Amino acid sequence: MGANAIRHPPGQRRLSRLLNIGIPYLWLGLFFLLPFVIVLRISVAEPALAQPPYSLLWEWVEQGLLRIQINLGNFMLIRDDSIYLAAFLNSLWVAFICTLLCLLLGYPMAYAIATAPERRRVILLMLIILPFWTSFLIRVYAWIGILNANGLLNNFLLWLGVIDEPLRILHTQAAVYIGVVYSYLPFMILPLYANLTRLDPTLLEAAADLGCRPFRAFLRVTLPLSMAGIIAGSLLVFIPVVGEFVIPDLLGSPGSLMVGKLLWTEFFSNQDWPLASALAIVLLALLVVPFVFMQRLQQDPDEVQP
């Protein structure tokens, strides 16, 4: 009996279709929408000396009246206080620079892996993924030993005679860039590699037959067709770096203010959960803008023409 002869009852097909559609929406509802609603509810509350440390959104008063209290002061404070604006701008700038550096470093690496012989690709990909096998915190702490004044990098440069005294790299903005690029570079390489391996090599052969030089063929053929990988890798780097806390806290200077540090301070030091939640809501709103923009750019990557 052929496969076409197997027919499922209409009710079973509807149930299967409902499960295929409903399970992803259920997942998004439980792990995105519900936490978002909880954070949004806390962001419009007032701080209180209680457990949890915020006021109730509604309460019953006398004669069965329901009183709803919505506090927008947290969002107004974020708008009016320059320290929060500086933190958001600094976080976006650091994320932009690190994303650009990851792209400049990751694209040649992904291209080299994609064009390597197939027997070597697994080894090269293993070298990219290998750092994920160790703890993220341990890898960041390792950079403290490398970038320290008497660390590995300064001792090596002194041994070569390149410098006469140790460089001050640790606890600077440069150290933050180094740590972020090192930690998030695989997130740029892997989407680019997946995209580049799907490109048709005969397109480059056709460009060469038409007299197009290799570099020009790369600009006119390979680069436009790999735009989907560039966008995916950029999103995977930019979005988490904006809210990064560990790397700036361990490698950056005390004066380098980022949103992740503010969130930590408001949640755990000041116990101001409503203000921290408002910061998280504003940060999410800022990240939705580039996400939607990138999504519109790659709505139909097949339309990109060399």
Side-chain angles (χ1 to χ4, degrees):
M1 181 179 294
N4 294 332
I6 301 177
R7 296 183 179 275
H8 299 284
Q12 186 175 353
R13 290 199 299 268
R14 286 195 297 270
L15 179 60
S16 177
R17 191 181 305 114
L18 180 62
L19 290 176
N20 291 333
I21 298 175
I23 290 178
Y25 279 102
L26 179 62
W27 179 273
L28 289 175
L30 288 176
F31 296 102
F32 175 75
L33 184 59
L34 182 60
F36 174 77
V37 171
I38 294 174
V39 173
L40 181 62
R41 177 256 177 276
I42 299 175
S43 68
V44 294
E46 295 182 3
L49 296 176
Q51 190 64 31
Y54 53 85
S55 62
L56 297 175
L57 184 61
W58 62 77
E59 61 179 348
W60 292 99
V61 294
E62 296 180 357
Q63 299 177 352
L65 296 177
L66 178 64
R67 182 173 62 185
I68 300 176
Q69 295 179 335
I70 297 179
N71 175 33
L72 300 179
N74 299 313
F75 294 96
M76 296 176 65
L77 178 61
I78 295 173
R79 182 197 63 184
D80 298 334
D81 198 332
S82 60
I83 190 173
Y84 299 110
L85 177 62
F88 278 110
L89 292 178
N90 187 47
S91 299
L92 292 174
W93 175 252
V94 170
F96 172 76
I97 295 297
C98 292
T99 303
L100 183 61
L101 292 174
C102 286
L103 179 60
L104 294 177
L105 293 173
Y107 198 103
M109 297 173 68
Y111 187 81
I113 298 174
T115 55
E118 291 189 9
R119 64 180 181 274
R120 298 181 183 176
R121 292 181 186 177
V122 176
I123 299 176
L124 295 174
L125 285 175
M126 185 66 66
L127 294 176
I128 298 297
I129 302 174
L130 195 61
F132 283 94
W133 294 3
T134 58
S135 171
F136 174 77
L137 191 60
I138 292 176
R139 287 186 278 128
V140 177
Y141 267 112
W143 278 104
I144 297 178
I146 296 174
L147 302 177
N148 210 347
N150 58 349
L152 183 63
L153 180 59
N154 276 310
N155 288 333
F156 180 68
L157 294 177
L158 289 170
W159 178 74
L160 290 178
V162 178
I163 57 175
D164 298 327
E165 59 182 14
L167 299 175
R168 184 179 178 275
I169 305 176
L170 189 62
H171 302 310
T172 63
Q173 197 76 346
V176 176
Y177 292 146
I178 293 172
V180 171
V181 171
Y182 163 76
S183 301
Y184 288 92
L185 186 60
F187 293 99
M188 180 67 72
I189 295 176
L190 295 178
L192 284 171
Y193 167 78
N195 182 265
L196 290 171
T197 53
R198 293 197 300 266
L199 298 185
D200 189 356
T202 58
L203 295 175
L204 295 177
E205 296 175 2
D209 292 340
L210 294 174
C212 191
R213 295 185 177 182
F215 183 69
R216 187 173 179 82
F218 170 79
L219 294 178
R220 298 293 300 274
V221 178
T222 305
L223 188 60
L225 292 177
S226 61
M227 191 57 64
I230 294 175
I231 293 173
S234 299
L235 288 175
L236 288 176
V237 174
F238 183 86
I239 291 176
V241 171
V242 173
E244 180 61 49
F245 164 72
V246 175
I247 297 176
D249 187 59
L250 295 179
L251 302 182
S253 63
S256 59
L257 194 59
M258 294 185 66
V259 179
K261 179 65 174 178
L262 282 180
L263 284 170
W264 173 273
T265 303
E266 297 297 342
F267 260 118
F268 299 102
S269 298
N270 299 339
Q271 289 289 308
D272 194 343
W273 287 24
L275 181 56
S277 300
L279 284 170
I281 294 296
V282 174
L283 178 61
L284 179 61
L286 287 177
L287 294 179
V288 165
V289 174
F291 181 79
V292 172
F293 177 72
M294 293 293 188
Q295 284 292 107
R296 299 191 66 163
L297 283 182
Q298 64 172 3
Q299 278 182 354
D300 192 358
D302 296 333
E303 292 181 357
V304 179
Q305 297 296 332

